[in-house]
Amino acid sequence: MLFAIEEINNSTDLLPGTSLGYKMYDTCGSIARSVRVALALANGNEAVSSPSEAPCTRSEQVQAIMGETSSSPCMAIVTVIGPFHISLISPFATCACLSDKTKYPSFLRTIPSDYYQSRALAQLVRHFGWTWVGAIRTNDDYGNKGMAIFTETAQQLGICLEYSLSFFRTDPPDKIQKIIEIIKHSTSKVIVAFLSVFDMDVLMFKFSQYNLTGYQWVGSEGWIFDSQTAEMDKHHILDGAIGLAIPKAHVSGMKEFILNFKPVNSSGNDMLAEFWEALFNCKFKQLNSLTENQRECTGYEDLNLMQPSFIDMSLMPIFNNVYKGVYAVAHALHKILGCNGTCNYKVQLDPFIILQHIRNIHFTTKEGEDVYFNENGDPPAKYEIINWQPTENGVVDFVTVGLYDASLPADKQLSLQNKSLIWAQNSKQVPVSVCSEKCPPGTRKVLQKGKPVCCYDCIRCAEGEISNTTDSITCVQCQPEFWSNDRRDACLKKEAEFLSYEEIMGALLTAASLFGTCMTAVVAFIFFRYRKTPIVRANNSELSFLLLFSLTLCFLCSLTFIGRPSEWSCMLRHTAFGITFVLCISCVLGKTMVVLMAFKASLPGSNVMKWFGPTQQRLSVLAFTLIQVVICILWLTISPPFPFKNFKEIKDKIILECALGSTVGFWAVLGYIGLLASFCFILAFLARKLPDNFNEAKFITFSMLIFCAVWITFIPAYVSSPGKFSVAVEIFAILASSFGLLICIFIPKCYIILLRPEKNTKKNMMVKGAQKIS
């Protein structure tokens, strides 16, 4: 401040011909003393020092106050002097609460608000992926308000606090012990410290006693660039610390001013004399009586002999903030006094007018730095990101590794330079501090009961669900045409499955169907070739040829079940199957009734055959078949079968099948076939022991037994078979029952026709009491 005042008083451009006076106080951080001094200054009860020998020509009532360096004293001072509208410009009070102009209208500062610092710290923590951290704060307005903003921002960024502890340097030992125990038993490896330098020094000393090392410290500007704290860290507790600091600044001439400063040039200022005595361990004779072991201060001691940290401006950016604050007051006075070569000293100075001018001031320092205040009395928020990097000689080097500028867009505010960072315990690897590891793709997060949102378990997605990002909250259901892979991180298109001609099973069934068709055609050819022989003419040859025709249709209708289902194939396959099989069973039933009636007619006086001749046989077949036709027409009219995509039965495939439409219609068709087959089986069973060298009823009984057995076992097999196998089961039942009818009824006759022609005679076909049927 003295350097700025002397520079202004010697300037011919700023306040020409005017000398600024000052009064310096050391309040020792006491709020009560700060308020008392502020009231004294506001009332004009204190003498004001001036760098020049000329007496002050103005009232001794101060027009602005520089200070305090802590937030709580500033809040108390502004509350008291606010009604007087005296400006209070602080170089180091950062509490965001001081930006509230309704409560603190006369407060301004040359250091950014903690509103920006807290948010910057949260972004810095998130940048390195630390989502599980601990927090310690100074138990005052600076620490509590700053940590509250950090906590709020951290929650928005997905950062969780394992603990948040308050601490003050005067706390009893048991509270400090409790803090140490909490940290020792914590799982987080990163500690965010929103502390003043005094509290950090006390805490660091306690930590060294318990050897609490290995933690990654993230610090606020209150201690992160303090060289004395770094010198005191003999146990390397804070090595690798990272945090925000006020940007370093160089003010030309200040270093020379400090080195050439002599207290004899500032007579009347007791605080400077006390400072000099403490610095050189001496006493001024006129102020204090000397002891035996003390030497007398001359006032001309050489500051160049002091440690470099005292004269290194790069480590004391606070000086620059004081410098800018003094110049802000000077520029405001310059405008109020209308200085232009000379100043109008007749202008009555009013603290309220001065306050308004300081708020609206905008000037550039000789170093090119713009100085202005926003509507809250705050300067632009800019920070350097500092990393503590120990050197080989044990000295900590404060390395600037990045910048934070709140005036830039949100995604560009934080920028880290490509410099190698040093972390806790001199590690070059970024520490990991998370409550739970990231959930990989294919899993979702499930919060652990009673813990923060950063603590969770990774649950594998269920079948048909995926998550293709890390830390997914939910699993997404795949579309019906897709299914989830084994890793549950991608949906794969399901393969359409149906019984096709190209696959082995489809090819075998097709071959069996065609073989049955050809076999039926060969039998039909044999029967046609030997149509006039007794064995062919027996038991109504017309029904035999009709039965062979219907068996051909039965073999061929199985082909409609193979291939990609379509509307016409779905309607055709079940109706064709139902009608052809009824036609087939009707023919078998007719032949069975012919056998039964024939032997009944052989009894004396019986005239049964005239009621069941060829015409009646044709009509019975037609009638039985027409009933099935009517059932199929009703089924197709009311609710026909249709192509259907079954997504549920097999997880990784789409089953293309024919939905039944009306299940009642389907089971009515099967039920009618079963009814006719059962009736035919009963009649054939009754006629199996009738006397005849070639009793066809025996073979019909066997064929119906096979038919019924096949279709009875078909029902559970069909219901339990998945996908295309249910279609294969139905085709197999059709082919098996068709082959059963063909082989049991016609193969024995072909055997006699081709291999035993001597038995193919009328005489051999007859027995006593039998009647020839033509």
Side-chain angles (χ1 to χ4, degrees):
M1 185 177 77
L2 295 178
F3 171 72
I5 290 176
E6 184 173 305
E7 199 173 59
I8 293 169
N9 290 342
N10 294 330
S11 173
T12 57
D13 297 322
L14 184 63
L15 292 176
T18 303
S19 295
L20 294 179
Y22 66 91
K23 184 65 178 180
M24 297 179 63
Y25 286 96
D26 182 7
T27 61
C28 300
S30 170
I31 296 178
R33 188 170 182 178
S34 299
V35 172
R36 185 172 68 250
V37 169
L39 283 173
L41 290 172
N43 293 328
N45 295 333
E46 295 287 337
V48 178
S49 301
S50 174
S52 63
E53 298 180 357
C56 290
T57 59
R58 289 272 181 171
S59 169
E60 292 183 353
Q61 181 178 0
V62 296
Q63 306 302 321
I65 299 175
M66 298 298 303
E68 270 260 6
T69 57
S70 298
S71 297
S72 295
C74 286
M75 294 167 66
I77 293 172
V78 177
T79 301
V80 172
I81 69 172
F84 302 105
H85 305 295
I86 297 177
S87 303
L88 176 65
I89 305 175
S90 173
F92 208 54
T94 58
C95 180
C97 55
L98 288 166
S99 297
D100 186 354
K101 296 299 105 177
T102 59
K103 291 184 178 180
Y104 313 108
S106 61
F107 177 81
L108 302 101
R109 53 186 159 196
T110 53
I111 188 171
S113 166
D114 281 340
Y115 171 81
Y116 302 102
Q117 180 179 204
S118 299
R119 297 173 68 85
L121 285 174
Q123 292 184 35
L124 184 65
V125 169
R126 191 68 184 88
H127 175 80
F128 293 110
W130 301 326
T131 58
W132 186 238
V133 300
I136 303 178
R137 66 187 184 276
T138 296
N139 193 13
D140 61 6
D141 292 303
Y142 165 72
N144 293 331
K145 301 291 177 60
M147 185 56 69
I149 298 174
F150 171 82
T151 303
E152 179 183 355
T153 308
Q155 289 177 349
Q156 296 172 358
L157 296 176
I159 302 169
C160 299
L161 269 63
E162 184 178 11
Y163 56 84
S164 182
L165 308 173
S166 61
F167 169 76
F168 200 73
R169 51 190 173 273
T170 58
D171 283 343
D174 59 334
K175 183 174 182 180
I176 299 177
Q177 180 65 31
K178 184 178 180 181
I179 292 175
I180 291 173
E181 290 299 322
I182 291 174
I183 294 176
K184 286 174 64 177
H185 292 90
S186 65
T187 58
S188 57
K189 298 300 180 183
V190 175
I191 301 176
V192 179
F194 219 100
L195 297 166
S196 68
V197 65
F198 309 108
D199 295 318
M200 173 52 80
D201 291 343
V202 174
L203 201 62
M204 183 179 59
F205 175 75
K206 293 294 183 181
F207 276 26
S208 63
Q209 292 179 340
Y210 291 89
N211 195 28
L212 282 180
T213 59
Y215 292 93
Q216 178 61 47
W217 290 84
V218 180
S220 63
E221 97 310 326
W223 63 271
I224 195 66
F225 67 99
D226 187 75
S227 57
Q228 292 184 355
T229 301
E231 291 175 6
M232 293 172 58
D233 186 19
K234 302 300 183 183
H235 292 79
H236 304 285
I237 294 172
L238 302 177
D239 282 0
I242 192 170
L244 303 179
I246 306 168
K248 299 180 181 68
H250 172 72
V251 180
S252 58
M254 184 174 288
K255 182 176 180 179
E256 292 75 12
F257 176 81
I258 292 175
L259 294 177
N260 296 325
F261 175 77
K262 306 299 178 184
V264 294
N265 298 332
S266 300
S267 59
N269 196 313
D270 295 339
M271 194 183 81
L272 290 177
E274 293 176 6
F275 166 73
W276 199 264
E277 289 176 344
L279 188 63
F280 290 99
N281 193 23
C282 61
K283 292 289 184 180
F284 283 103
K285 187 174 182 179
Q286 65 271 26
L287 295 178
N288 301 287
S289 59
L290 296 174
T291 62
E292 295 181 359
N293 298 326
Q294 287 182 323
R295 60 185 181 86
E296 181 181 357
C297 295
T298 64
Y300 293 97
E301 285 79 7
D302 190 0
L303 285 173
N304 287 289
L305 300 177
M306 293 293 97
Q307 54 185 337
S309 61
F310 176 75
I311 59 175
D312 188 356
M313 277 300 301
S314 65
L315 299 180
M316 294 186 180
I318 192 67
F319 280 9
N320 185 46
N321 287 347
V322 176
Y323 178 85
K324 291 186 291 185
V326 174
Y327 262 85
V329 175
H331 277 278
L333 291 173
H334 186 88
K335 285 189 177 182
I336 294 172
L337 296 177
C339 298
N340 187 11
T342 59
C343 298
N344 182 9
Y345 300 108
K346 296 181 180 180
V347 175
Q348 184 66 35
L349 294 178
D350 181 9
F352 180 75
I353 301 299
I354 295 175
L355 175 62
Q356 298 303 317
H357 276 77
I358 295 176
R359 284 180 178 175
N360 298 323
I361 204 69
H362 193 157
F363 65 94
T364 303
T365 65
K366 61 182 179 180
E367 307 299 335
E369 182 179 0
D370 285 340
V371 179
Y372 60 92
F373 303 97
N374 62 15
E375 65 277 6
N376 296 321
D378 299 327
K382 294 182 180 180
Y383 298 95
E384 290 182 355
I385 301 174
I386 301 297
N387 181 220
W388 285 31
Q389 298 189 4
T391 58
E392 294 180 356
N393 57 6
V395 178
V396 174
D397 189 10
F398 297 149
V399 179
T400 300
V401 295
L403 297 172
Y404 179 85
D405 189 347
S407 63
L408 298 177
D411 58 336
K412 297 181 180 179
Q413 292 176 350
L414 184 68
S415 63
L416 288 172
Q417 299 172 2
N418 294 326
K419 291 188 177 181
S420 58
L421 295 170
I422 300 297
W423 303 104
Q425 297 180 322
N426 289 329
S427 173
K428 294 186 179 296
Q429 296 292 329
V430 180
V432 177
S433 186
V434 295
C435 184
S436 300
E437 294 293 335
K438 289 185 176 182
C439 288
T443 62
R444 62 183 177 89
K445 296 196 298 185
V446 176
L447 299 182
Q448 296 178 0
K449 188 175 181 180
K451 292 189 177 181
V453 295
C454 299
C455 301
Y456 47 82
D457 296 317
C458 299
I459 305 299
R460 181 178 169 86
C461 293
E463 286 188 359
E465 296 181 345
I466 66 160
S467 64
N468 53 12
T469 59
T470 55
D471 282 344
S472 178
I473 299 176
T474 58
C475 295
V476 181
Q477 183 76 36
C478 290
Q479 294 295 324
E481 293 83 1
F482 296 84
W483 66 286
S484 57
N485 59 357
D486 292 337
R487 295 190 303 273
R488 303 290 195 272
D489 59 356
C491 288
L492 304 179
K493 191 172 181 61
K494 290 183 178 181
E495 178 185 353
E497 181 183 78
F498 58 91
L499 189 61
S500 66
Y501 295 101
E502 288 78 10
E503 60 181 297
I504 296 177
M505 184 167 58
L508 291 176
L509 292 174
T510 301
S513 175
L514 296 177
F515 176 74
T517 303
C518 295
M519 187 175 176
T520 306
V522 170
V523 171
F525 175 78
I526 294 173
F527 267 53
F528 182 77
R529 175 70 176 78
Y530 298 96
R531 63 185 179 279
K532 294 183 179 181
T533 61
I535 199 168
V536 175
R537 297 181 61 194
N539 202 357
N540 197 335
S541 60
E542 185 177 327
L543 284 180
S544 297
F545 284 107
L546 185 59
L547 177 58
L548 288 171
F549 172 72
S550 63
L551 284 174
T552 303
L553 295 180
C554 288
F555 282 117
L556 291 177
C557 79
S558 63
L559 297 178
T560 62
F561 289 83
I562 304 175
R564 191 182 190 92
S566 60
E567 289 188 10
W568 70 266
S569 66
C570 286
M571 290 188 292
L572 179 62
R573 61 173 57 172
H574 289 105
T575 53
F577 153 71
I579 293 172
T580 55
F581 258 76
V582 165
L583 177 61
C584 181
I585 300 300
S586 299
C587 292
V588 176
L589 180 59
K591 292 174 73 65
T592 306
M593 293 177 68
V594 167
V595 172
L596 192 61
M597 294 300 176
F599 284 95
K600 290 290 184 182
S602 65
L603 297 176
S606 177
N607 196 23
V608 176
M609 287 308 299
K610 73 175 184 178
W611 301 105
F612 201 73
T615 303
Q616 287 81 6
Q617 294 170 23
R618 298 188 195 100
L619 290 176
S620 65
V621 172
L622 179 62
F624 288 138
T625 306
L626 282 177
I627 294 174
Q628 184 74 306
V629 171
V630 171
I631 295 174
C632 291
I633 291 174
L634 290 175
W635 182 14
L636 296 178
T637 303
I638 297 173
S639 181
F642 58 90
F644 175 70
K645 293 181 179 180
N646 188 340
F647 300 106
K648 298 181 179 179
E649 192 161 347
I650 301 178
K651 65 177 183 179
D652 57 345
K653 293 181 180 179
I654 302 174
I655 301 175
L656 303 181
E657 58 187 12
C658 287
L660 297 177
S662 172
T663 54
V664 174
F666 174 72
W667 291 110
V669 169
L670 286 185
Y672 183 63
I673 295 174
L675 179 64
L676 291 181
S678 301
F679 185 50
C680 183
F681 174 73
I682 292 171
L683 293 180
F685 183 78
L686 293 176
R688 74 189 187 284
K689 293 184 178 180
L690 293 177
D692 196 341
N693 280 344
F694 192 83
N695 185 359
E696 195 173 25
K698 296 178 182 179
F699 303 107
I700 293 175
T701 302
F702 282 115
S703 66
M704 286 295 101
L705 187 62
I706 295 173
F707 185 92
C708 293
V710 167
W711 287 101
I712 289 173
T713 56
F714 158 77
I715 295 174
Y718 178 81
V719 172
S720 61
S721 297
K724 63 183 180 181
F725 297 102
S726 62
V727 179
V729 166
E730 191 167 359
I731 297 174
F732 178 80
I734 293 172
L735 295 177
S737 56
S738 300
F739 276 112
L741 291 172
L742 179 63
I743 293 172
C744 289
I745 295 176
F746 292 100
I747 295 303
K749 294 182 179 181
C750 291
Y751 172 76
I752 292 174
I753 292 173
L754 298 177
L755 300 179
R756 302 295 297 273
E758 68 275 7
K759 290 187 177 183
N760 190 5
T761 62
K762 182 177 180 181
K763 179 180 180 180
N764 192 63
M765 297 297 297
M766 300 295 293
V767 294
K768 185 177 180 181
Q771 181 178 334
K772 173 177 175 278
I773 305 299
S774 59

